[in-house]
Amino acid sequence: MINDEHKQFYAFAHYDGALLSLVWIASFLCYLHGLSKPSFMMFAMLLAVSTPFFAAYRLRKFRDNARGGVIGFFRAYYYIISMFFNAAILLGVVQIVYYAYFDNGYTISRVIEMMNDETNRKLIEANGMTELFNESLRQMRQMRPFEYMWNSFPLNVMLGVILGIPIAAVIKRNTPQQQ
């Protein structure tokens, strides 16, 4: 890539990463709200599942508007990875701020409350997972905000690495489309 193309590539990848992070942040907030109102969990899941479709849409817009309708597989793949990396950074910042200043034990208390429900408790006991669950809760209580972010950051980047292959394969175009 020549210098101007390089700048354009990263400008679009940063912008689209910021837009993708808004989808992920909305999903994160719906998840948190869903801990007390389960209907919001469905919205969190829908937003999370929309990720590859949103990324493909933004890549297509980049291809058609900035690249003249042409983008190779590897450049498209790298664009998706860059977009997901940028989105993961922004989501990570939001998670750190949330867990450092706003959570105050809310998430863990909601998880404990859900698992103390009679049905869930019986399920945990029936599967012999009581000790594992208690150990997981002990570890969650000791986690710092940065560690919560560090649990999701690599997963989000790997999601881009994995989903980038089929997205880039579908969106790539080596010759301009005839009008």
Side-chain angles (χ1 to χ4, degrees), residues 47-61:
L47 287 167
V49 169
S50 74
T51 293
F53 302 104
F54 181 81
Y57 170 75
R58 294 307 303 173
L59 175 61
R60 195 186 86 222
K61 295 291 271 183

Side-chain angles (χ1 to χ4, degrees), residues 12-137:
F12 274 83
H14 289 157
Y15 179 76
D16 288 343
L19 293 177
L20 180 58
S21 76
L22 293 176
V23 173
W24 288 354
I25 290 166
S27 178
F28 176 64
L29 294 175
C30 285
Y31 162 77
L32 292 172
H33 198 61
L35 291 173
S36 60
K37 294 186 176 23
S39 60
F40 277 87
M41 285 293 189
M42 183 175 53
F43 292 119
M45 291 293 287
L46 288 172
L47 287 167
V49 169
S50 74
T51 293
F53 302 104
F54 181 81
Y57 170 75
R58 294 307 303 173
L59 175 61
R60 195 186 86 222
K61 295 291 271 183
F62 172 68
R63 179 198 68 196
D64 293 344
N65 296 335
R67 303 277 310 149
V70 177
I71 192 166
F73 172 80
F74 290 107
R75 189 168 289 175
Y77 183 54
Y78 185 56
Y79 187 85
I80 292 294
I81 292 172
S82 299
M83 182 192 321
F84 275 67
F85 182 80
N86 292 323
I89 289 173
L90 294 173
L91 175 64
V93 169
V94 169
Q95 288 176 327
I96 288 172
V97 169
Y98 172 77
Y99 285 113
Y101 300 107
F102 298 106
D103 186 63
N104 297 321
Y106 170 78
T107 304
I108 292 174
S109 67
R110 297 304 302 173
V111 169
I112 291 170
E113 186 177 310
M114 285 189 307
M115 291 305 128
N116 284 337
D117 179 64
E118 187 67 28
T119 307
N120 293 333
R121 192 166 25 84
K122 285 181 180 179
L123 185 63
I124 290 170
E125 291 170 357
N127 290 311
M129 298 174 56
T130 305
E131 186 56 40
L132 176 66
F133 178 72
N134 290 335
E135 178 60 28
S136 296
L137 283 178

